[in-house]
Amino acid sequence: MRIIHYNAGGPEFQGREFQYDAHHAHMIDELRKRGHEVLHINPAALLGRYDSPKAYGAATIEAVRDFQADGGCDLFFATAVDHSFDPDTAREISRMGVPTVNLNMDDMSHPFRVQKVTPAFDLVWTTDPTNMGLIRKYGAKKLIHMPYAANPNVFYPDISSTPERAIMFIGACYGARSRAIARLAQAGVLTRVYGKSPMDIYGSEAKSLPAVRALFNYRDGWHRAINSLSFPSGRACIRSALIRTVQNTVMDLPEKHPEKGDIEYRPGPSFDDWSKVMGGIDLSLGSLELASTFVLKKPHYFIRFREFEAAMCGAAHLVSASEELMEYFDPDKEMIYYSGFDEMVDKAKFWLNPAQDTARMAIRKAAHTRALGEHTWAHRFQKVFDTLGIPATV
């Protein structure tokens, strides 16, 4: 099959081949290795500049017509949002006879970003079920929910030496992650962070306040806040940001001491090194809490790439107790879950105990088996093809 991948986010013309490396390391690489031809379109790169959705649309349609003339296309796959994608682009491509699908990546936190583009696509794929009703109201013709997945060619078990008896986190250390990591290190758990530390992320004291950061760190901060009032998870984000801002102002929180305890911050790994890093430490930490909602009695959980990457790497992954994630990986058999930071610390200590080495290794093997059998991008795209009635096998 010939699949067009559209993403307008990367300044490829500025010397970086792809801004969203995750798209290529995950879905695109796997599709190509399964024999499909994936044609990448970045309209900013085609134009050699950032421009308007209309300009991007014209460049995209011209590229699709060229692809159609040179062998045809079977699917137009996008991660489009309103501020950079003209809905008429998807409509025109569909009129060419190419089915169109849009992957929504932020429907729990920012569903309003796809309000205009949603009715233009033949199929909308959302990664979170929370606001599916809202996406339908936007006019989705067909709507499916599927979580992320992981590419087994990039993420695979690699335990080349005896793993360090520690817990690690891969990613930027902020929000709930910062709280969790600080709690672990200050409780005496050997902790390794591969990615930006809180010192790298937070500047002045004012910037460390969630409400201030939400409004002023982005050009559309006020627009986000206003739109977030229109749906429950958005209102929860606003409420929790205000609560956390007060807490940060008056309380001595663990994350205010990011270097306390046995903790080390290391550079984030490249995708080439990902599996080796995952295999080199006994426990992997996951954090699913949306924005600052970890301060609420009932946090909002959003499943990220990391959970599937960790499982595909055969990691023993300690993560927030999401009911949805438990449908994908069985508790204490394929993944380890915690409810609250106290239980997180207790379970980290328990599973790092040498007495649990055999049981922990069983979890690692079972996690990889489950991920490989059910959570590759081939599984996800097969459902896309089946939903659109495309007679193809990934």
Side-chain angles (χ1 to χ4, degrees):
M1 291 188 65
R2 301 184 89 210
I3 301 171
I4 298 172
H5 170 260
Y6 172 95
N7 192 312
E12 298 172 22
F13 55 92
Q14 294 180 354
R16 184 176 179 183
E17 185 178 4
F18 299 115
Q19 179 179 8
Y20 288 96
D21 295 328
H23 290 204
H24 297 266
H26 276 271
M27 57 201 77
I28 293 174
D29 177 80
E30 184 177 342
L31 289 170
R32 284 174 173 165
K33 282 185 168 61
R34 286 179 176 269
H36 302 284
E37 185 178 359
V38 182
L39 309 164
H40 178 64
I41 292 180
N42 179 351
L46 294 175
L47 295 170
R49 65 182 184 276
Y50 294 115
D51 214 312
S52 67
K54 288 287 185 183
Y56 286 170
T60 299
I61 289 170
E62 182 179 356
V64 173
R65 283 178 177 149
D66 289 343
F67 291 149
Q68 279 283 73
D70 185 29
C73 301
D74 299 294
L75 183 71
F76 179 82
F77 169 70
T79 50
V81 291
D82 291 348
H83 73 264
S84 62
F85 189 85
D86 180 7
D88 287 338
T89 304
R91 295 187 179 101
E92 179 60 26
I93 292 170
S94 186
R95 282 193 288 268
M96 294 182 199
V98 181
T100 60
V101 58
N102 196 45
L103 171 59
N104 294 358
M105 306 183 81
D106 297 302
D107 279 350
M108 178 180 266
S109 56
H110 300 97
F112 49 85
R113 288 179 172 177
V114 295
Q115 185 170 359
K116 295 178 182 178
V117 302
T118 288
F121 283 87
D122 298 317
L123 174 65
V124 173
W125 165 7
T126 181
T127 55
D128 184 85
T130 305
N131 291 312
M132 290 182 70
L134 189 59
I135 303 301
R136 288 192 179 95
K137 287 183 179 179
Y138 289 164
K141 298 172 185 175
K142 291 183 180 180
L143 178 64
I144 57 173
H145 160 244
M146 291 187 291
Y148 296 120
N151 176 2
N153 303 296
V154 174
F155 306 97
Y156 50 84
D158 181 3
I159 305 178
S160 54
S161 59
T162 302
E164 184 179 10
R165 199 168 294 282
I167 190 167
M168 70 162 182
F169 178 80
I170 298 180
C173 187
Y174 62 87
R177 307 166 175 189
S178 182
R179 172 82 55 92
I181 290 164
R183 285 289 306 273
L184 287 164
Q186 292 165 28
V189 178
L190 196 62
T191 306
R192 303 287 179 256
V193 177
Y194 291 81
K196 288 186 177 181
S197 72
M199 298 79 77
D200 296 324
I201 297 171
Y202 300 127
S204 67
E205 184 178 353
K207 286 185 178 179
S208 70
L209 300 178
V212 175
R213 199 167 57 251
L215 291 176
F216 296 107
N217 274 22
Y218 303 95
R219 289 181 299 174
D220 62 343
W222 288 97
H223 173 74
R224 291 185 184 196
I226 292 170
N227 277 280
S228 293
L229 293 171
S230 64
F231 56 99
S233 57
R235 291 192 292 273
C237 286
I238 293 175
R239 185 170 71 255
S240 61
L242 293 172
I243 293 171
R244 189 167 160 235
T245 296
V246 173
Q247 291 180 348
N248 283 11
T249 302
V250 303
M251 299 173 66
D252 185 27
L253 301 170
E255 59 266 34
K256 288 187 176 182
H257 310 283
E259 296 180 283
K260 185 178 179 181
D262 198 346
I263 186 168
E264 183 178 345
Y265 297 95
R266 302 175 179 179
S270 67
F271 284 117
D272 290 338
D273 295 330
W274 204 278
S275 297
K276 186 174 182 179
V277 169
M278 279 282 185
I281 294 181
D282 276 334
L283 277 182
S284 165
L285 177 67
S287 177
L288 305 184
E289 293 86 352
L290 177 68
S292 293
T293 63
F294 66 93
V295 302
L296 304 178
K297 290 183 178 180
K298 291 185 177 181
H300 287 245
Y301 295 132
F302 177 69
I303 301 171
R304 296 172 169 84
F305 280 100
R306 187 73 70 253
E307 282 52 65
F308 298 98
E309 294 164 345
M312 195 66 77
C313 286
H317 196 53
L318 176 63
V319 66
S320 318
S322 157
E323 291 183 5
E324 182 189 353
L325 187 57
M326 289 180 190
E327 296 177 7
Y328 308 138
F329 298 100
D330 290 339
D332 293 338
K333 294 180 180 179
E334 298 163 334
M335 203 162 276
I336 308 164
Y337 298 95
Y338 64 84
S339 297
F341 295 120
D342 289 340
E343 186 177 31
M344 174 197 67
V345 171
D346 290 342
K347 286 199 170 185
K349 290 180 177 179
F350 175 83
W351 284 103
L352 287 173
N353 189 309
Q356 303 305 321
D357 284 355
T358 300
R360 189 177 59 253
M361 185 56 68
I363 288 176
R364 299 182 74 141
K365 292 179 180 178
H368 175 253
T369 299
R370 183 74 178 270
L372 191 61
E374 297 183 18
H375 300 301
T376 67
W377 291 104
H379 293 105
R380 305 293 186 252
F381 272 86
Q382 189 62 60
K383 185 172 180 179
V384 168
F385 294 152
D386 292 345
T387 303
L388 288 171
I390 300 174
T393 300
V394 183

